[in-house]
Amino acid sequence: MASSASIGDGTVIRRILIAITVLFLSVFLVLPILVVIVSAFQQGMHTYWAAISEPEALDALRLTLIAAGVAVVSNTLFGLSAAWMITNYSFRGKNLLITLIDLPFTVSPVISGLIFVLLFGGRSVVGRWLIDHGIHIIFATPGIILATCFVTFPFVARELIPLMQSQGNQEEEAAYMLGANGWQIFWRVTVPKIKWGILYGVVLAAGRAVGEFGAVSVVSGHIRGMTNTLPLHIEILYNEYQFSAAFAVATLLLVFALVTLVLKRYLEYRIDRKSEAL
Amino acid sequence: MSIEIKNVSKQFGTFAALKDISLSVPTGQFVALLGPSGSGKTTLLRLIAGLDVADCGVIYFNGQNIQDQSARERGVGFVFQHYALFRHMSVFENVAFGLRVKPKGSRLDDAQIKEKVMTLLRLVQLDWLADRFPAQLSGGQRQRVALARALAVEPKVLLLDEPFGALDSNIRKELRQWLRNLHDSLGITSIFVTHDVDEAMEVADRIVVMRDGKIEQEGTPEEVYHQPANAFVYRFIGNVNLFHGRVEEHEARFGTVESTGQSDAVRAYIRPTSMKIHLSPDEVGSRPFGAVIKRLRNHGLNVRVELTSEWGEVFEVAVDPKLMDLSQLTPGRDVFVSVEEDKVYYEDFSI
């Protein structure tokens, strides 16, 4: 054999590797997706359509979209300000802040939900006061939004901090020297520079927000048509042995996931092209 | 616009970037801030621009304290080291930026902006690239776009941070002369930062040599080159040979002279151009000494001869091939070296 042969050139090894990869992909990816789709349509198109068009499913979809929408907007604002602060100013506790931003990734989602129950539930001082004033957070929409925001809030910030750090602030300084004010600098220089990064973070956050189960489950209270998101609705259907309906609704989440994936790939491609152009 | 800097200091954490700097630049001058990296030259430039704030001291433009003025009010154009062009904007939009962000009352209309931008692009000979993006330009072209962009807001002062630092050496030389001509035709005051001595020598009216946050010397290129204020300036400006010697009877002696124990050490700096090689001792001027040729190096117009002095110090002499027959300077040959005494710089030595 030629001495220039690289690692993994042997046919046997190559075949084994391919086999392992294919096996893994089929068992953990292709097969489950197929099961979801097949089960969803098992009882025919009619049942499928009924499952995803019944009012409770639509309410769940609406709530999911609201929670995801609010989470995405607030994450974008938070991510932008955190990244702006971290890249443009030096202050005490900067590294601590960067570490803290990752906290929702390391805390179990169930615990995240519990935090909010403890904080805003009827047994806490804050929760009591709010309930006395007619503001319900736990077992209501605000709680679901809060929990969704919490579990998704690192996405945009984590995407932007390294991006903005690598780009530096020379262009902003140049704009400042040319007489632009802070607002003009932000919209005309900073945002165009990082827009693909923002979108990437938004797509990831939206994907996570739509599929979030654990944290939302704890704060939701599972009130049908009121505090059910799509994943929770699926759980209820499943527990009631309505398998076809459960899988039918699950296909909606599958569509979200695929759209997220495609957008993610496209944005990665745009970001790569951007950095190559420099 | 004249610039007056008085007792300015700037500290970054525990690092003193500028220590009590005072400097005045008359209207219309082209000044180089010259120094090794970390000497504080860029910090000084950023203070003048208003990108950083001095810890203490005052900066005046035309006699007026500008400490509280923003960059826009100061009327300063700034060209960044890596140009900092807006990468998502075309060349045209880059240059137009300063005009577009003006408040409504003083903003030109689109037609006027277009005309002005195209005039500026013609000035920097880039009107044919107006639709390109920065990533599609060469280094020299980006540099000129950055200049046009800075000039669009009609600054009274132009500040340039290492303007030629990122360019190839041949483009660099071309741009230097071009920038000098541009400065003269605009009649503005310009300050540029550089660590390249040749660049400062060629372009500037006046050179400010900086080190460790302090000004070591300021003067015309001739003054800085021929009358260096101290050993640092002498060594920094141009090539230099270092000789170690001793002071005896109010005279510096080098090499084989025995130390009496009473004498002080002295160092002498002599430029390669202030020394001459002679083949025999009779044609020699003042205080010749013997040396052996080690090797010759060709630097284009002049030739550098590396020699070892009779007491063992290695040094260089610049030889003009038109005045001397190079074939006689063979390695290993014994020769005599004379020195233009008035061009020698002695350190730690007073008579």
Side-chain angles (χ1 to χ4, degrees), chain A residues 174 176-179, chain B residues 1 3 45-51 61 66 69-79 149-151 153-160 189:
Chain A
Y176 173 72
M177 287 310 300
L178 291 167
Chain B
M1 185 134 56
I3 302 168
L45 200 73
R46 289 174 61 89
L47 288 183
I48 300 170
L51 286 168
F61 279 8
I66 49 123
Q69 289 184 355
S70 72
R72 189 202 312 235
E73 292 163 318
R74 289 183 190 197
V76 168
F78 200 103
V79 176
R149 184 177 69 174
L151 293 175
V153 291
E154 293 175 11
K156 308 281 185 298
V157 174
L158 187 60
L159 304 174
L160 307 108
T189 310

mmCIF file of all heavy atoms in Angstrom, chain A residues 174 176-179, chain B residues 1 3 45-51 61 66 69-79 149-151 153-160 189:
data_model
loop_
_atom_site.group_PDB
_atom_site.id
_atom_site.type_symbol
_atom_site.label_atom_id
_atom_site.label_comp_id
_atom_site.label_asym_id
_atom_site.label_seq_id
_atom_site.Cartn_x
_atom_site.Cartn_y
_atom_site.Cartn_z
ATOM 1 N N ALA A 174 -15.630 54.453 13.472
ATOM 2 C CA ALA A 174 -15.563 55.211 12.225
ATOM 3 C C ALA A 174 -16.851 55.994 12.017
ATOM 4 O O ALA A 174 -16.829 57.179 11.647
ATOM 5 C CB ALA A 174 -15.317 54.270 11.045
ATOM 6 N N TYR A 176 -18.884 56.979 14.305
ATOM 7 C CA TYR A 176 -18.903 58.049 15.305
ATOM 8 C C TYR A 176 -18.064 59.240 14.829
ATOM 9 O O TYR A 176 -18.477 60.391 14.925
ATOM 10 C CB TYR A 176 -18.368 57.506 16.628
ATOM 11 C CG TYR A 176 -18.169 58.540 17.700
ATOM 12 C CD1 TYR A 176 -19.250 59.125 18.340
ATOM 13 C CD2 TYR A 176 -16.881 58.950 18.058
ATOM 14 C CE1 TYR A 176 -19.063 60.079 19.314
ATOM 15 C CE2 TYR A 176 -16.684 59.898 19.029
ATOM 16 C CZ TYR A 176 -17.786 60.471 19.668
ATOM 17 O OH TYR A 176 -17.591 61.430 20.624
ATOM 18 N N MET A 177 -16.894 58.936 14.279
ATOM 19 C CA MET A 177 -16.023 60.016 13.791
ATOM 20 C C MET A 177 -16.661 60.761 12.629
ATOM 21 O O MET A 177 -16.340 61.910 12.376
ATOM 22 C CB MET A 177 -14.667 59.453 13.330
ATOM 23 C CG MET A 177 -13.734 58.997 14.421
ATOM 24 S SD MET A 177 -13.495 60.186 15.745
ATOM 25 C CE MET A 177 -12.828 61.583 14.866
ATOM 26 N N LEU A 178 -17.549 60.092 11.908
ATOM 27 C CA LEU A 178 -18.207 60.746 10.780
ATOM 28 C C LEU A 178 -19.452 61.506 11.229
ATOM 29 O O LEU A 178 -20.175 62.042 10.402
ATOM 30 C CB LEU A 178 -18.588 59.713 9.713
ATOM 31 C CG LEU A 178 -17.375 59.108 8.994
ATOM 32 C CD1 LEU A 178 -17.767 57.886 8.200
ATOM 33 C CD2 LEU A 178 -16.728 60.141 8.085
ATOM 34 N N GLY A 179 -19.689 61.533 12.542
ATOM 35 C CA GLY A 179 -20.759 62.370 13.064
ATOM 36 C C GLY A 179 -22.066 61.656 13.335
ATOM 37 O O GLY A 179 -23.062 62.302 13.623
ATOM 38 N N MET B 1 -6.549 74.520 10.992
ATOM 39 C CA MET B 1 -6.804 74.603 12.429
ATOM 40 C C MET B 1 -5.540 74.208 13.191
ATOM 41 O O MET B 1 -4.922 73.198 12.910
ATOM 42 C CB MET B 1 -7.952 73.648 12.786
ATOM 43 C CG MET B 1 -8.362 73.749 14.210
ATOM 44 S SD MET B 1 -10.133 73.830 14.468
ATOM 45 C CE MET B 1 -10.769 72.392 13.670
ATOM 46 N N ILE B 3 -3.510 72.959 16.553
ATOM 47 C CA ILE B 3 -3.801 72.057 17.665
ATOM 48 C C ILE B 3 -2.783 72.293 18.765
ATOM 49 O O ILE B 3 -1.581 72.392 18.499
ATOM 50 C CB ILE B 3 -3.731 70.580 17.208
ATOM 51 C CG1 ILE B 3 -4.702 70.346 16.064
ATOM 52 C CG2 ILE B 3 -4.021 69.640 18.372
ATOM 53 C CD1 ILE B 3 -4.502 69.029 15.375
ATOM 54 N N LEU B 45 -3.334 60.105 19.331
ATOM 55 C CA LEU B 45 -4.175 60.390 18.168
ATOM 56 C C LEU B 45 -5.659 60.238 18.521
ATOM 57 O O LEU B 45 -6.494 61.060 18.136
ATOM 58 C CB LEU B 45 -3.806 59.434 17.027
ATOM 59 C CG LEU B 45 -4.207 59.871 15.623
ATOM 60 C CD1 LEU B 45 -3.330 61.003 15.155
ATOM 61 C CD2 LEU B 45 -4.123 58.714 14.644
ATOM 62 N N ARG B 46 -5.970 59.192 19.276
ATOM 63 C CA ARG B 46 -7.370 58.945 19.648
ATOM 64 C C ARG B 46 -7.890 60.008 20.609
ATOM 65 O O ARG B 46 -9.079 60.337 20.597
ATOM 66 C CB ARG B 46 -7.518 57.551 20.265
ATOM 67 C CG ARG B 46 -7.349 56.426 19.250
ATOM 68 C CD ARG B 46 -7.359 55.061 19.915
ATOM 69 N NE ARG B 46 -8.618 54.801 20.596
ATOM 70 C CZ ARG B 46 -9.671 54.230 20.012
ATOM 71 N NH1 ARG B 46 -9.601 53.858 18.765
ATOM 72 N NH2 ARG B 46 -10.770 54.028 20.687
ATOM 73 N N LEU B 47 -6.998 60.548 21.434
ATOM 74 C CA LEU B 47 -7.413 61.635 22.325
ATOM 75 C C LEU B 47 -7.750 62.883 21.519
ATOM 76 O O LEU B 47 -8.737 63.567 21.779
ATOM 77 C CB LEU B 47 -6.302 61.952 23.337
ATOM 78 C CG LEU B 47 -6.059 60.942 24.442
ATOM 79 C CD1 LEU B 47 -4.982 61.458 25.385
ATOM 80 C CD2 LEU B 47 -7.328 60.667 25.211
ATOM 81 N N ILE B 48 -6.911 63.164 20.520
ATOM 82 C CA ILE B 48 -7.168 64.339 19.691
ATOM 83 C C ILE B 48 -8.494 64.165 18.946
ATOM 84 O O ILE B 48 -9.279 65.093 18.800
ATOM 85 C CB ILE B 48 -6.008 64.570 18.690
ATOM 86 C CG1 ILE B 48 -4.694 64.789 19.446
ATOM 87 C CG2 ILE B 48 -6.311 65.757 17.782
ATOM 88 C CD1 ILE B 48 -3.471 64.776 18.564
ATOM 89 N N ALA B 49 -8.764 62.919 18.508
ATOM 90 C CA ALA B 49 -9.985 62.651 17.755
ATOM 91 C C ALA B 49 -11.225 62.731 18.633
ATOM 92 O O ALA B 49 -12.309 63.032 18.142
ATOM 93 C CB ALA B 49 -9.899 61.261 17.117
ATOM 94 N N GLY B 50 -11.061 62.444 19.924
ATOM 95 C CA GLY B 50 -12.225 62.383 20.798
ATOM 96 C C GLY B 50 -12.743 60.968 20.961
ATOM 97 O O GLY B 50 -13.835 60.762 21.476
ATOM 98 N N LEU B 51 -11.980 59.984 20.522
ATOM 99 C CA LEU B 51 -12.386 58.583 20.698
ATOM 100 C C LEU B 51 -12.069 58.101 22.110
ATOM 101 O O LEU B 51 -12.643 57.137 22.588
ATOM 102 C CB LEU B 51 -11.674 57.687 19.678
ATOM 103 C CG LEU B 51 -12.188 57.783 18.245
ATOM 104 C CD1 LEU B 51 -11.240 57.096 17.288
ATOM 105 C CD2 LEU B 51 -13.579 57.196 18.135
ATOM 106 N N PHE B 61 -8.230 73.420 20.035
ATOM 107 C CA PHE B 61 -8.242 73.595 18.579
ATOM 108 C C PHE B 61 -8.418 75.087 18.358
ATOM 109 O O PHE B 61 -9.386 75.676 18.836
ATOM 110 C CB PHE B 61 -9.430 72.858 17.939
ATOM 111 C CG PHE B 61 -9.201 71.386 17.745
ATOM 112 C CD1 PHE B 61 -8.085 70.740 18.255
ATOM 113 C CD2 PHE B 61 -10.114 70.629 17.024
ATOM 114 C CE1 PHE B 61 -7.880 69.382 18.080
ATOM 115 C CE2 PHE B 61 -9.926 69.263 16.833
ATOM 116 C CZ PHE B 61 -8.809 68.647 17.368
ATOM 117 N N ILE B 66 -11.454 71.889 23.563
ATOM 118 C CA ILE B 66 -12.432 71.032 22.889
ATOM 119 C C ILE B 66 -12.742 69.778 23.695
ATOM 120 O O ILE B 66 -13.357 68.847 23.192
ATOM 121 C CB ILE B 66 -11.941 70.620 21.487
ATOM 122 C CG1 ILE B 66 -10.516 70.107 21.561
ATOM 123 C CG2 ILE B 66 -12.064 71.753 20.514
ATOM 124 C CD1 ILE B 66 -10.358 68.739 21.041
ATOM 125 N N GLN B 69 -16.248 68.588 23.523
ATOM 126 C CA GLN B 69 -16.893 68.494 22.213
ATOM 127 C C GLN B 69 -16.866 67.064 21.696
ATOM 128 O O GLN B 69 -15.908 66.332 21.907
ATOM 129 C CB GLN B 69 -16.184 69.402 21.208
ATOM 130 C CG GLN B 69 -16.426 70.872 21.459
ATOM 131 C CD GLN B 69 -15.788 71.731 20.406
ATOM 132 O OE1 GLN B 69 -15.086 71.242 19.529
ATOM 133 N NE2 GLN B 69 -16.016 73.027 20.491
ATOM 134 N N SER B 70 -17.920 66.687 20.997
ATOM 135 C CA SER B 70 -17.952 65.357 20.391
ATOM 136 C C SER B 70 -17.137 65.387 19.102
ATOM 137 O O SER B 70 -16.724 66.446 18.630
ATOM 138 C CB SER B 70 -19.387 64.963 20.080
ATOM 139 O OG SER B 70 -19.843 65.722 18.983
ATOM 140 N N ALA B 71 -16.929 64.218 18.550
ATOM 141 C CA ALA B 71 -16.126 64.116 17.334
ATOM 142 C C ALA B 71 -16.698 64.997 16.222
ATOM 143 O O ALA B 71 -15.964 65.651 15.490
ATOM 144 C CB ALA B 71 -16.065 62.668 16.874
ATOM 145 N N ARG B 72 -18.032 65.029 16.129
ATOM 146 C CA ARG B 72 -18.656 65.798 15.056
ATOM 147 C C ARG B 72 -18.345 67.290 15.201
ATOM 148 O O ARG B 72 -17.997 67.964 14.245
ATOM 149 C CB ARG B 72 -20.163 65.576 15.090
ATOM 150 C CG ARG B 72 -20.860 66.150 13.881
ATOM 151 C CD ARG B 72 -22.332 66.424 14.119
ATOM 152 N NE ARG B 72 -23.041 65.318 14.744
ATOM 153 C CZ ARG B 72 -24.124 64.748 14.236
ATOM 154 N NH1 ARG B 72 -24.587 65.136 13.081
ATOM 155 N NH2 ARG B 72 -24.751 63.810 14.884
ATOM 156 N N GLU B 73 -18.449 67.766 16.453
ATOM 157 C CA GLU B 73 -18.197 69.194 16.681
ATOM 158 C C GLU B 73 -16.735 69.556 16.468
ATOM 159 O O GLU B 73 -16.404 70.685 16.149
ATOM 160 C CB GLU B 73 -18.630 69.560 18.101
ATOM 161 C CG GLU B 73 -20.121 69.479 18.315
ATOM 162 C CD GLU B 73 -20.500 69.433 19.793
ATOM 163 O OE1 GLU B 73 -19.823 68.720 20.571
ATOM 164 O OE2 GLU B 73 -21.458 70.092 20.155
ATOM 165 N N ARG B 74 -15.870 68.577 16.663
ATOM 166 C CA ARG B 74 -14.439 68.882 16.530
ATOM 167 C C ARG B 74 -14.030 69.087 15.084
ATOM 168 O O ARG B 74 -13.026 69.712 14.801
ATOM 169 C CB ARG B 74 -13.604 67.744 17.124
ATOM 170 C CG ARG B 74 -13.688 67.695 18.621
ATOM 171 C CD ARG B 74 -12.790 66.615 19.201
ATOM 172 N NE ARG B 74 -13.110 66.468 20.622
ATOM 173 C CZ ARG B 74 -12.327 65.862 21.500
ATOM 174 N NH1 ARG B 74 -11.188 65.336 21.109
ATOM 175 N NH2 ARG B 74 -12.677 65.779 22.757
ATOM 176 N N GLY B 75 -14.762 68.527 14.158
ATOM 177 C CA GLY B 75 -14.401 68.661 12.753
ATOM 178 C C GLY B 75 -13.130 67.902 12.416
ATOM 179 O O GLY B 75 -12.220 68.421 11.770
ATOM 180 N N VAL B 76 -13.084 66.652 12.876
ATOM 181 C CA VAL B 76 -11.886 65.840 12.683
ATOM 182 C C VAL B 76 -12.203 64.672 11.752
ATOM 183 O O VAL B 76 -13.237 64.031 11.889
ATOM 184 C CB VAL B 76 -11.416 65.294 14.050
ATOM 185 C CG1 VAL B 76 -10.369 64.214 13.857
ATOM 186 C CG2 VAL B 76 -10.869 66.423 14.891
ATOM 187 N N GLY B 77 -11.324 64.432 10.789
ATOM 188 C CA GLY B 77 -11.449 63.230 9.965
ATOM 189 C C GLY B 77 -10.450 62.203 10.472
ATOM 190 O O GLY B 77 -9.322 62.549 10.809
ATOM 191 N N PHE B 78 -10.892 60.945 10.534
ATOM 192 C CA PHE B 78 -10.015 59.908 11.099
ATOM 193 C C PHE B 78 -9.919 58.750 10.125
ATOM 194 O O PHE B 78 -10.932 58.246 9.664
ATOM 195 C CB PHE B 78 -10.603 59.426 12.434
ATOM 196 C CG PHE B 78 -9.609 58.740 13.329
ATOM 197 C CD1 PHE B 78 -9.069 59.398 14.419
ATOM 198 C CD2 PHE B 78 -9.216 57.424 13.078
ATOM 199 C CE1 PHE B 78 -8.155 58.768 15.251
ATOM 200 C CE2 PHE B 78 -8.308 56.800 13.908
ATOM 201 C CZ PHE B 78 -7.770 57.464 14.994
ATOM 202 N N VAL B 79 -8.697 58.358 9.806
ATOM 203 C CA VAL B 79 -8.504 57.178 8.955
ATOM 204 C C VAL B 79 -7.911 56.077 9.829
ATOM 205 O O VAL B 79 -6.823 56.239 10.377
ATOM 206 C CB VAL B 79 -7.583 57.477 7.760
ATOM 207 C CG1 VAL B 79 -7.336 56.211 6.953
ATOM 208 C CG2 VAL B 79 -8.188 58.557 6.888
ATOM 209 N N ARG B 149 -13.793 58.930 2.516
ATOM 210 C CA ARG B 149 -14.883 58.931 3.486
ATOM 211 C C ARG B 149 -14.618 59.947 4.594
ATOM 212 O O ARG B 149 -15.511 60.684 5.010
ATOM 213 C CB ARG B 149 -15.023 57.526 4.088
ATOM 214 C CG ARG B 149 -16.173 57.386 5.039
ATOM 215 C CD ARG B 149 -16.311 55.977 5.557
ATOM 216 N NE ARG B 149 -15.205 55.620 6.443
ATOM 217 C CZ ARG B 149 -15.150 54.481 7.128
ATOM 218 N NH1 ARG B 149 -16.108 53.588 6.996
ATOM 219 N NH2 ARG B 149 -14.130 54.216 7.909
ATOM 220 N N ALA B 150 -13.363 59.988 5.067
ATOM 221 C CA ALA B 150 -13.025 60.928 6.128
ATOM 222 C C ALA B 150 -13.112 62.374 5.629
ATOM 223 O O ALA B 150 -13.484 63.271 6.370
ATOM 224 C CB ALA B 150 -11.633 60.630 6.666
ATOM 225 N N LEU B 151 -12.766 62.584 4.346
ATOM 226 C CA LEU B 151 -12.745 63.947 3.814
ATOM 227 C C LEU B 151 -14.142 64.459 3.478
ATOM 228 O O LEU B 151 -14.355 65.655 3.332
ATOM 229 C CB LEU B 151 -11.874 64.005 2.551
ATOM 230 C CG LEU B 151 -10.383 63.768 2.784
ATOM 231 C CD1 LEU B 151 -9.642 63.734 1.461
ATOM 232 C CD2 LEU B 151 -9.800 64.844 3.690
ATOM 233 N N VAL B 153 -16.768 64.870 5.168
ATOM 234 C CA VAL B 153 -17.382 65.791 6.120
ATOM 235 C C VAL B 153 -16.563 67.079 6.264
ATOM 236 O O VAL B 153 -16.788 67.849 7.194
ATOM 237 C CB VAL B 153 -17.587 65.121 7.503
ATOM 238 C CG1 VAL B 153 -18.668 64.051 7.392
ATOM 239 C CG2 VAL B 153 -16.302 64.502 8.015
ATOM 240 N N GLU B 154 -15.646 67.284 5.335
ATOM 241 C CA GLU B 154 -14.807 68.489 5.291
ATOM 242 C C GLU B 154 -14.155 68.799 6.631
ATOM 243 O O GLU B 154 -14.388 69.846 7.238
ATOM 244 C CB GLU B 154 -15.651 69.677 4.823
ATOM 245 C CG GLU B 154 -16.075 69.495 3.382
ATOM 246 C CD GLU B 154 -17.011 70.605 2.912
ATOM 247 O OE1 GLU B 154 -17.138 71.607 3.654
ATOM 248 O OE2 GLU B 154 -17.570 70.466 1.834
ATOM 249 N N PRO B 155 -13.309 67.880 7.103
ATOM 250 C CA PRO B 155 -12.649 68.111 8.389
ATOM 251 C C PRO B 155 -11.588 69.201 8.280
ATOM 252 O O PRO B 155 -11.049 69.449 7.203
ATOM 253 C CB PRO B 155 -11.998 66.758 8.688
ATOM 254 C CG PRO B 155 -11.742 66.161 7.350
ATOM 255 C CD PRO B 155 -12.859 66.625 6.467
ATOM 256 N N LYS B 156 -11.350 69.836 9.420
ATOM 257 C CA LYS B 156 -10.263 70.829 9.473
ATOM 258 C C LYS B 156 -8.962 70.142 9.870
ATOM 259 O O LYS B 156 -7.885 70.673 9.677
ATOM 260 C CB LYS B 156 -10.582 71.909 10.507
ATOM 261 C CG LYS B 156 -11.938 72.546 10.327
ATOM 262 C CD LYS B 156 -11.889 73.576 9.210
ATOM 263 C CE LYS B 156 -13.205 74.324 9.095
ATOM 264 N NZ LYS B 156 -14.331 73.440 8.771
ATOM 265 N N VAL B 157 -9.125 68.977 10.482
ATOM 266 C CA VAL B 157 -7.964 68.214 10.930
ATOM 267 C C VAL B 157 -8.125 66.775 10.421
ATOM 268 O O VAL B 157 -9.198 66.197 10.508
ATOM 269 C CB VAL B 157 -7.889 68.183 12.477
ATOM 270 C CG1 VAL B 157 -6.774 67.265 12.944
ATOM 271 C CG2 VAL B 157 -7.679 69.587 13.017
ATOM 272 N N LEU B 158 -7.044 66.237 9.870
ATOM 273 C CA LEU B 158 -7.085 64.855 9.398
ATOM 274 C C LEU B 158 -6.117 64.030 10.242
ATOM 275 O O LEU B 158 -4.940 64.376 10.371
ATOM 276 C CB LEU B 158 -6.682 64.800 7.923
ATOM 277 C CG LEU B 158 -6.835 63.442 7.232
ATOM 278 C CD1 LEU B 158 -8.281 62.976 7.255
ATOM 279 C CD2 LEU B 158 -6.342 63.518 5.796
ATOM 280 N N LEU B 159 -6.656 62.973 10.853
ATOM 281 C CA LEU B 159 -5.829 62.107 11.683
ATOM 282 C C LEU B 159 -5.740 60.738 11.028
ATOM 283 O O LEU B 159 -6.751 60.176 10.617
ATOM 284 C CB LEU B 159 -6.444 61.972 13.079
ATOM 285 C CG LEU B 159 -6.704 63.285 13.826
ATOM 286 C CD1 LEU B 159 -7.435 63.003 15.123
ATOM 287 C CD2 LEU B 159 -5.407 64.018 14.094
ATOM 288 N N LEU B 160 -4.525 60.215 10.909
ATOM 289 C CA LEU B 160 -4.360 58.931 10.235
ATOM 290 C C LEU B 160 -3.554 57.987 11.124
ATOM 291 O O LEU B 160 -2.451 58.318 11.552
ATOM 292 C CB LEU B 160 -3.640 59.114 8.898
ATOM 293 C CG LEU B 160 -4.233 60.139 7.930
ATOM 294 C CD1 LEU B 160 -3.341 61.368 7.871
ATOM 295 C CD2 LEU B 160 -4.383 59.554 6.549
ATOM 296 N N THR B 189 -4.790 70.562 8.503
ATOM 297 C CA THR B 189 -3.749 70.116 9.424
ATOM 298 C C THR B 189 -3.845 68.599 9.531
ATOM 299 O O THR B 189 -4.933 68.068 9.723
ATOM 300 C CB THR B 189 -3.980 70.735 10.812
ATOM 301 O OG1 THR B 189 -4.164 72.143 10.643
ATOM 302 C CG2 THR B 189 -2.809 70.473 11.728
#
